[in-house]
Amino acid sequence: MNELIFRGKDKFRPSWSDFGLLAVILSAQLVIGYKRLGLVPTLLIVAGTLVIAVPSRFATMRCWSRVGADGITLCWGLGRGRTYSWQQIAWIDVRETKGFGMSEGTRAARIHTVDGRRRSLPALQSSTFYPSADFDTDFRRVVNWWELSTEPGERVRPGAQVRDRLTPVKVGLLASVVLGAVILVDVLR
């Protein structure tokens, strides 16, 4: 079988809307920050936003996954990546995360290692913002590699854990409630 490579630079191309969103955020920070905080703190906030946003975008563009005879190699944009041999991979599945009002949500291929760790495959995902018409076909090709490289007895489906039930939306709601309670206690003091 031919080696499979999924690259972030092929999938996560920046669009004008990405730059527009960053421009709106930076403009809001400049206007509101200058009126409320002054020039120096506002510039520090803007610089902090850029320090987070720009390297994150470059790391996203550099992420990749490779599936081959030696196993699956994952790279999140920094370094050479980490290879998981076929004997280290106990299960492969798709994690689906849905948000409020999102019809499709996000689907990401992930591996489960024999020591209980779970790793998503960078650049092998489909979402509302970055749809992938070939996601199911590509995922099936990865599973075919796994099935050809392992014995059926080595494939063990992991049990559900608490983190499988937690979605980003649920975590966000919980964090909002906790933050609201902290602010309320602070105001009432």
Side-chain angles (χ1 to χ4, degrees):
M1 290 179 77
N2 293 333
E3 185 174 81
L4 307 174
I5 298 177
F6 307 101
R7 302 181 309 178
K9 68 180 179 180
D10 297 333
K11 179 143 186 76
F12 306 118
R13 295 184 182 185
S15 65
W16 287 108
S17 62
D18 293 340
F19 294 117
L21 178 63
L22 182 60
V24 167
I25 290 171
L26 293 177
S27 299
Q29 287 178 340
L30 285 169
V31 170
I32 296 170
Y34 183 71
K35 286 183 177 180
R36 300 261 179 167
L37 303 173
L39 181 63
V40 174
T42 300
L43 292 177
L44 289 174
I45 291 171
V46 168
T49 301
L50 290 173
V51 164
I52 292 170
V54 172
S56 298
R57 173 49 82 175
F58 282 117
T60 302
M61 297 288 290
R62 291 180 38 88
C63 73
W64 53 269
S65 301
R66 184 179 66 232
V67 180
D70 56 342
I72 297 177
T73 303
L74 310 176
C75 179
W76 284 98
L78 302 172
R80 295 184 320 216
R82 165 96 196 268
T83 300
Y84 295 90
S85 69
W86 293 116
Q87 289 70 34
Q88 289 177 290
I89 299 172
W91 195 254
I92 299 177
D93 66 2
V94 175
R95 177 178 169 104
E96 294 187 39
T97 307
K98 293 195 181 215
F100 288 127
M102 296 173 69
S103 59
E104 291 185 27
T106 302
R107 297 186 307 156
R110 67 179 178 175
I111 61 172
H112 300 259
T113 61
V114 293
D115 62 357
R117 296 174 187 227
R118 297 153 192 242
R119 299 287 182 255
S120 293
L121 277 65
L124 184 54
Q125 55 185 291
S126 181
S127 69
T128 306
F129 297 111
Y130 297 104
S132 175
D134 298 331
F135 176 79
D136 292 322
T137 305
D138 290 339
F139 176 71
R140 185 71 234 164
R141 292 168 55 203
V142 171
V143 170
N144 288 343
W145 259 102
W146 175 58
E147 289 175 346
L148 288 172
S149 303
T150 59
E151 297 296 323
E154 295 174 350
R155 300 178 209 139
V156 180
R157 183 181 199 128
Q161 296 180 350
V162 173
R163 65 181 169 191
D164 292 327
R165 292 183 207 91
L166 290 177
T167 64
V169 172
K170 290 179 183 175
V171 171
L173 283 173
L174 182 61
S176 297
V177 169
V178 169
L179 182 61
V182 169
I183 291 171
L184 182 64
V185 167
D186 188 45
V187 168
L188 294 177
R189 278 196 323 181

